[in-house]
Amino acid sequence: MMTAFKSRMIPMITNEAAIACIGMYCMAVVMGYGRFLFTATLPDIMVQLSLSTTIAGWLASINYIGYFIGALIAMFVPQRSTWQAMTLWAIISVVTTMLLVIPNMSLTLWYIIRLIAGIASGVAMILSSSFVIQTLSPERRSVLSAVHYAGIGVGISASAIVTWWLLKLGYHFDVIWLVAGVTSLPLVWLLYAIKPRQVRAVDSQQIDAKQHVSVHQTYVNFKRSLYEAISGHHKALTLLFVSYVLAGFGYISSATFLPVMAAQRLTTQTYAGLMIWLVVGIFAMLSNPLWGALAKRIGEIKTLMGLTVLQAFGMCLPIWFDGAFGLYGNAAILGLTFVGMVSMTLTLFKNINPAYSNLLIALATLAYALGQFLGPLVTVALAGRDGNFNAGLLVAAIGLMIGFVLLVWFRRQSPKTAKLV
């Protein structure tokens, strides 16, 4: 009786386009809100809580430490448990978003919540991508996976719009985070609606034996898989990993502090920071189909190299132009490039050794998270007491150009690797 009631309340969704849209919503919640709403609300958080630039940088970096941990956790989630783990960590992401409404929290509690939010973002992003893409048929995968990844841009845009709307009404960051959490709640219902159908019953002793092996041999199996994944590809993978660390370092230096820079420089424009952040989100939504089409014509590696140079150029715009042009130009280029760079790089990792693509993608996410952790810390250290972010942007641009050189080197590897890219 209860099962029949649940089936009427939560119908099963099997349409591929609908699943891709639910994946987009999931990405918007766990990435757009769970990670990037902090950027949109950071100027207000700093004012309301009287935070220094250094503390703000640490709050950003602690979230990226969590993202690093989340990527580690995702590596060890069994394939059969993907939906369960994805749903659990998506719920945790929503809860940590809503917890920031609690008044007068200690700084320690802020660090803990942002750490857990980062873990939830890392796990849910990787597993939702895995779940959605595996659900899609091969002939529709390229188009609908772009819909799924567009959720990052949708979430960034939503974070800017919600923050602007509520600040204009006289509310502050606490209410903004509460509204973000409440508007994320339907995701739980939708994730349940795409729960995989139960396969036919298998002998319980066989299931117990498999689970027993997975517990006791996880470490051994991981070591073996890691060795087989990198065997024969050490140099190419090393070059790609280091370039991806630098990509994470480069983009986050701007992505964390762009609204703060706008508040500093465009003092006569009350909501300039949020308008600029909205530009990032809009261009991020457009980027994946655009660069995906280009990659089909010239290949992922050439597209990635072009995006890397373009992003480095964008980092220099606020240095060369102190006013609105530099900031809006940086925002547009940041939105256009960072999602595309992630997509292209992960495709390259997958192509190097397709048999171990999940493991390599998870390791790549760790590399990206490492760069994201270091970026805000270096940026605030270089900003000093004056809070001038130009030095940090310059270092980010230099790091991206070093990454470009590594990509050129990567492309010139063995003929076998060249054919893959």
Side-chain angles (χ1 to χ4, degrees):
M1 185 75 174
M2 184 61 70
T3 303
F5 176 75
K6 284 183 178 179
S7 64
R8 287 197 299 269
M9 291 296 294
I10 309 179
M12 300 303 294
I13 296 175
T14 57
N15 179 272
E16 291 186 3
I19 291 173
C21 289
I22 293 170
M24 177 178 68
Y25 185 20
C26 184
M27 291 287 270
V29 168
V30 303
M31 298 293 287
Y33 285 163
R35 295 186 63 201
F36 293 118
L37 181 60
F38 181 81
T39 301
T41 55
L42 184 55
D44 187 61
I45 291 172
M46 292 176 69
V47 170
Q48 299 303 317
L49 300 183
S50 301
L51 297 183
S52 67
T53 304
T54 302
I55 295 297
W58 271 106
L59 280 172
S61 289
I62 201 74
N63 184 256
Y64 304 138
I65 293 175
Y67 189 73
F68 184 93
I69 296 170
L72 278 174
I73 293 172
M75 288 170 60
F76 294 97
V77 173
Q79 196 68 35
R80 64 180 179 274
S81 303
T82 300
W83 177 85
Q84 291 88 336
M86 171 188 71
T87 303
L88 170 64
W89 285 101
I91 292 171
I92 292 173
S93 180
V94 175
V95 171
T96 53
T97 294
M98 297 179 73
L99 281 177
L100 293 183
V101 74
I102 299 173
N104 303 318
M105 284 195 303
S106 67
L107 193 57
T108 301
L109 196 53
W110 267 85
Y111 281 129
I112 293 171
I113 291 173
R114 293 305 294 154
L115 176 67
I116 297 172
I119 295 172
S121 294
V123 179
M125 190 279 283
I126 292 172
L127 296 186
S128 67
S129 298
S130 174
F131 178 82
V132 170
I133 291 172
Q134 288 179 10
T135 302
L136 303 175
S137 57
E139 59 271 15
R140 303 186 70 188
R141 188 167 292 163
S142 61
V143 174
L144 292 180
S145 63
V147 173
H148 169 71
Y149 284 111
I152 299 175
V154 171
I156 291 173
S157 301
S159 71
I161 293 169
V162 169
T163 302
W164 172 79
W165 172 52
L166 291 172
L167 286 178
K168 198 169 179 63
L169 291 176
Y171 297 105
H172 291 289
F173 72 87
D174 50 354
V175 176
I176 294 168
W177 284 86
L178 178 61
V179 170
V182 170
T183 55
S184 301
L185 288 174
L187 176 65
V188 179
W189 183 87
L190 290 169
L191 289 179
Y192 190 86
I194 60 173
K195 180 180 180 181
R197 293 178 178 176
Q198 296 295 325
V199 296
R200 63 182 180 83
V202 183
D203 183 77
S204 61
Q205 291 181 348
Q206 291 180 343
I207 296 175
D208 291 340
K210 288 181 181 178
Q211 290 176 340
H212 180 74
V213 169
S214 69
V215 170
H216 287 281
Q217 292 194 341
T218 296
Y219 176 70
V220 174
N221 292 343
F222 174 75
K223 274 187 68 175
R224 186 191 309 120
S225 297
L226 182 60
Y227 173 79
E228 293 174 358
I230 67 177
S231 181
H233 307 287
H234 295 83
K235 192 171 184 179
L237 286 171
T238 299
L239 291 170
L240 201 54
F241 275 124
V242 176
S243 72
Y244 205 38
V245 171
L246 293 170
F249 176 88
Y251 104 90
I252 206 63
S253 301
S254 171
T256 301
F257 298 108
L258 195 52
V260 177
M261 284 188 278
Q264 289 177 343
R265 300 184 184 190
L266 308 178
T267 54
T268 59
Q269 302 176 32
T270 308
Y271 299 107
L274 294 174
M275 292 301 296
I276 286 172
W277 192 235
L278 179 60
V279 169
V280 175
I282 291 171
F283 278 90
M285 284 189 286
L286 300 173
S287 66
N288 244 23
L290 176 65
W291 303 128
L294 181 62
K296 285 184 178 180
R297 294 178 64 88
I298 66 173
E300 283 85 5
I301 184 61
K302 290 181 180 178
T303 304
L304 178 59
M305 289 163 61
L307 290 175
T308 302
V309 173
L310 180 60
Q311 190 173 102
F313 172 77
M315 292 297 158
C316 295
L317 288 179
I319 303 173
W320 296 334
F321 305 96
D322 195 51
F325 179 80
L327 292 173
Y328 277 99
N330 177 266
I333 291 174
L334 180 68
L336 268 178
T337 54
F338 88 93
V339 177
M341 288 172 69
V342 169
S343 177
M344 297 301 136
T345 307
L346 295 185
T347 299
L348 291 175
F349 274 109
K350 182 186 72 174
N351 289 344
I352 287 175
N353 195 343
Y356 294 94
S357 60
N358 286 347
L359 176 58
L360 291 175
I361 287 172
L363 290 172
T365 304
L366 292 178
Y368 201 61
L370 177 60
Q372 291 177 107
F373 165 66
L374 295 173
L377 298 182
V378 172
T379 302
V380 297
L382 294 172
R385 293 184 178 180
D386 295 336
N388 190 321
F389 295 100
N390 282 354
L393 292 173
L394 180 60
V395 170
I398 293 171
L400 286 164
M401 290 310 299
I402 294 172
F404 169 77
V405 173
L406 295 176
L407 289 174
V408 173
W409 195 357
F410 168 81
R411 185 168 177 254
R412 292 179 178 176
Q413 288 307 296
S414 64
K416 181 180 178 181
T417 303
K419 288 178 182 178
L420 292 170
V421 295

